Amino acid sequence: MESHLDYGPTLEFADTLYNYIPTSSETREIHGFCRWNIAWRNSSNVDKFSLLCNHHLNENRLHSWISTVVSGNVKELQLSLRQKRPLFIPLSLFTCESLISLNLITHPDVRLPKYISFPRLKRLALYGFEFSDESWNEELFSNSPVLEELILRSCTYNMRNFCISIPTLKHLEIGTWRDKENGFRDRVFEIDAPRLVTFSYYGYGAKEFVLSNFLALDQATVYFNYQNKVGAQATSRLLRALAHVKCLTVYNQTLKAICSSYDLPTFHGVKVLKISDSITTDEGLIALVKAVPNLESVVFVQYMYDNEEVDVADAVKSDSNDSGEDKHDKEDDSWALDCMTTGCLFPHLKSVCFQWFVGNPREMRWVKLILRNAKALQLRTIRYHASFCFRFIDVKSEEKLRIEMPSFPRASRQVV
């Protein structure tokens, strides 16, 4: 969720060229230009200040610029900096009463003070931070009484308990990086947010997720990047806490973890299921679909892998015999029957969308399976990407798909 505030005067400076190193004279000109603009704007106040730089900046100048915009009652501040050493940001920033939105992306991460207070802050985004003081997060959040959106992306949590208790929070994103000495195995995330509407987790897992008062939660996204027993257990723990959401988004790595999970919950509340990246497993997806009995809509955001490098067992070479019958039709039938032996799939499915379709065997099997079993299906959307097909083996042309698909058996007469 991005902020959509109506800002007045705005200053934005961006230097995003990684491979270009400015000369000394160019650096002086850039600094002079920034200094002049900030000083000139100070008299009329700057509502939004954005500084994105991939090259080291003088700390004294940075300190002066930030202090100036903070004293001018800045409402939104975004800093994306790559420094040679840890940056000390003015203390006045962390007690700024006018701030409504704050983005901090710094390398290395900034030195945070012990006392932080944001009385008007509604959106906070921290990227690449390392948390090691267990009292810090409680202090930060307790002094942000109107915070509605919190983003912690690619962060490291070197602590046993990371607690978030924010009564006003509506949107939460947690991203974890690989911790020192596999500390994630002992980490516990405790989240108490009774007004939370959307929740996203990206990372390596944790020992436990304690999610309290998630009664208002509507959308959840889960991406686990740890493929072993620990990752599977962590996936199950988190999914159990999210079983009542209406819209669930998962990634391929999550589906792989589900393959190893023997404790998958039943998602009675989920109506919409989104698969957000390229799929390399049928087993995990089938297990998840079976656990969503009231599913009404499924969206495949990316293509499905089906080639020798990724999944030899599932890749079936496409060929036609002399009679024109597709040789792997029978294999498709067998695959579909195997899926159905442990229960009915898609009893309430109304719509399916393939946003990035390339026509490989795995995708064709899923199209056939859905059409054959979704009795309530009303809408089928397939967006074919011909320019991308050259990367895959055994794909069908758009013309051939248009000829073949109308003949596929379907359980619903309403599907278009």
Side-chain angles (χ1 to χ4, degrees):
M1 295 288 176
E2 295 291 337
S3 58
H4 299 281
L5 302 174
D6 185 15
Y7 291 112
T10 298
L11 285 178
E12 297 184 3
F13 305 101
D15 170 20
T16 57
L17 297 176
Y18 281 97
N19 297 324
Y20 176 73
I21 301 177
T23 64
S24 299
S25 60
E26 288 174 332
T27 300
R28 286 194 297 271
E29 290 180 6
I30 294 172
H31 289 176
F33 177 78
C34 294
R35 183 172 62 253
W36 182 86
N37 275 274
I38 293 171
W40 179 77
R41 278 292 189 183
N42 186 42
S43 60
S44 58
N45 293 342
V46 176
D47 281 355
K48 179 179 179 181
F49 179 73
S50 177
L51 178 60
L52 287 71
C53 187
N54 286 314
H55 303 98
H56 181 80
L57 294 176
N58 181 276
E59 288 194 22
N60 291 331
R61 290 193 180 95
L62 278 174
H63 197 285
S64 175
W65 297 348
I66 295 171
S67 297
T68 300
V69 296
V70 168
S71 64
N73 296 319
V74 64
K75 294 182 176 64
E76 177 172 344
L77 180 63
Q78 180 178 8
L79 297 177
S80 180
L81 305 172
R82 182 171 290 273
Q83 296 293 104
K84 294 179 180 179
R85 39 189 184 274
L87 175 67
F88 181 76
I89 291 182
L91 293 176
S92 58
L93 170 62
F94 296 100
T95 56
C96 181
E97 297 185 358
S98 61
L99 264 182
I100 296 175
S101 177
L102 175 61
N103 277 44
L104 290 180
I105 310 172
T106 62
H107 179 81
D109 55 358
V110 301
R111 303 164 190 168
L112 295 168
K114 289 294 184 180
Y115 180 75
I116 297 174
S117 176
F118 294 118
R120 297 184 60 194
L121 194 69
K122 292 187 176 181
R123 182 180 188 273
L124 174 63
L126 302 177
Y127 298 76
F129 275 70
E130 180 176 338
F131 300 102
S132 57
D133 185 351
E134 294 194 12
S135 65
W136 183 86
N137 61 77
E138 295 178 1
E139 289 291 332
L140 168 64
F141 305 137
S142 63
N143 291 313
S144 302
V146 297
L147 192 64
E148 296 182 355
E149 182 175 357
L150 176 63
I151 298 174
L152 305 174
R153 191 171 295 175
S154 298
C155 294
T156 302
Y157 307 82
N158 292 320
M159 58 181 68
R160 291 296 181 92
N161 294 281
F162 191 81
C163 305
I164 298 175
S165 180
I166 309 176
T168 56
L169 198 63
K170 296 180 180 179
H171 311 287
L172 173 62
E173 177 181 323
I174 297 178
T176 65
W177 195 241
R178 189 183 298 275
D179 296 358
K180 296 178 181 178
E181 299 179 356
N182 292 327
F184 64 90
R185 297 187 181 185
D186 297 322
R187 186 201 310 120
V188 175
F189 282 105
E190 297 182 22
I191 304 171
D192 185 355
R195 298 185 184 180
L196 199 66
V197 177
T198 66
F199 172 74
S200 301
Y201 180 84
Y202 305 86
Y204 288 84
K207 178 181 179 180
E208 189 63 74
F209 291 89
V210 181
L211 310 181
S212 306
N213 296 322
F214 269 34
L215 301 179
L217 192 63
D218 184 71
Q219 301 179 38
T221 300
V222 181
Y223 175 91
F224 272 92
N225 197 22
Y226 207 80
Q227 301 177 40
N228 59 12
K229 185 177 180 180
V230 175
Q233 292 173 345
T235 303
S236 294
R237 293 187 186 102
L238 180 54
L239 291 177
R240 280 200 303 272
L242 303 175
H244 66 284
V245 301
K246 296 178 182 178
C247 178
L248 178 64
T249 300
V250 299
Y251 287 73
N252 186 61
Q253 297 295 80
T254 306
L255 295 176
K256 285 185 175 182
I258 287 174
C259 291
S260 303
S261 174
Y262 299 98
D263 192 21
L264 194 64
T266 300
F267 299 88
H268 291 289
V270 173
K271 305 291 185 180
V272 180
L273 178 63
K274 295 182 180 181
I275 314 300
S276 195
D277 64 352
S278 303
I279 299 174
T280 63
T281 171
D282 290 325
E283 181 185 353
L285 181 55
I286 291 169
L288 181 57
V289 168
K290 288 179 179 178
V292 187
N294 300 312
L295 185 64
E296 295 182 359
S297 176
V298 60
V299 179
F300 298 93
V301 178
Q302 292 289 340
Y303 54 86
M304 296 183 180
Y305 272 115
D306 197 315
N307 57 41
E308 295 175 351
E309 291 76 18
V310 176
D311 199 340
V312 177
D314 286 334
V316 181
K317 293 288 184 177
S318 176
D319 194 8
S320 298
N321 57 20
D322 295 337
S323 63
E325 181 182 358
D326 196 335
K327 282 187 177 181
H328 55 61
D329 273 349
K330 293 182 179 179
E331 297 184 44
D332 290 340
D333 294 340
S334 175
W335 179 81
L337 289 173
D338 289 341
C339 292
M340 300 301 295
T341 54
T342 57
C344 180
L345 295 178
F346 315 116
H348 305 291
L349 191 67
K350 296 180 181 179
S351 69
V352 58
C353 177
F354 291 83
Q355 293 186 356
W356 194 291
F357 196 82
V358 299
N360 64 37
R362 172 173 275 142
E363 291 179 331
M364 297 299 288
R365 291 198 300 270
W366 275 98
V367 169
K368 291 180 180 180
L369 179 66
I370 292 172
L371 289 177
R372 185 178 297 165
N373 294 283
K375 296 180 180 180
L377 194 64
Q378 299 176 10
L379 180 63
R380 169 185 59 86
T381 304
I382 297 178
R383 295 168 183 162
Y384 186 78
H385 285 257
S387 60
F388 202 66
C389 289
F390 73 92
R391 299 187 182 185
F392 300 89
I393 62 172
D394 196 19
V395 298
K396 297 179 183 293
S397 67
E398 184 175 6
E399 292 74 16
K400 189 173 183 180
L401 289 173
R402 289 184 180 276
I403 295 173
E404 286 188 8
M405 283 190 177
S407 65
F408 292 169
R410 56 196 67 197
S412 173
R413 295 182 180 181
Q414 302 180 63
V415 64
V416 295

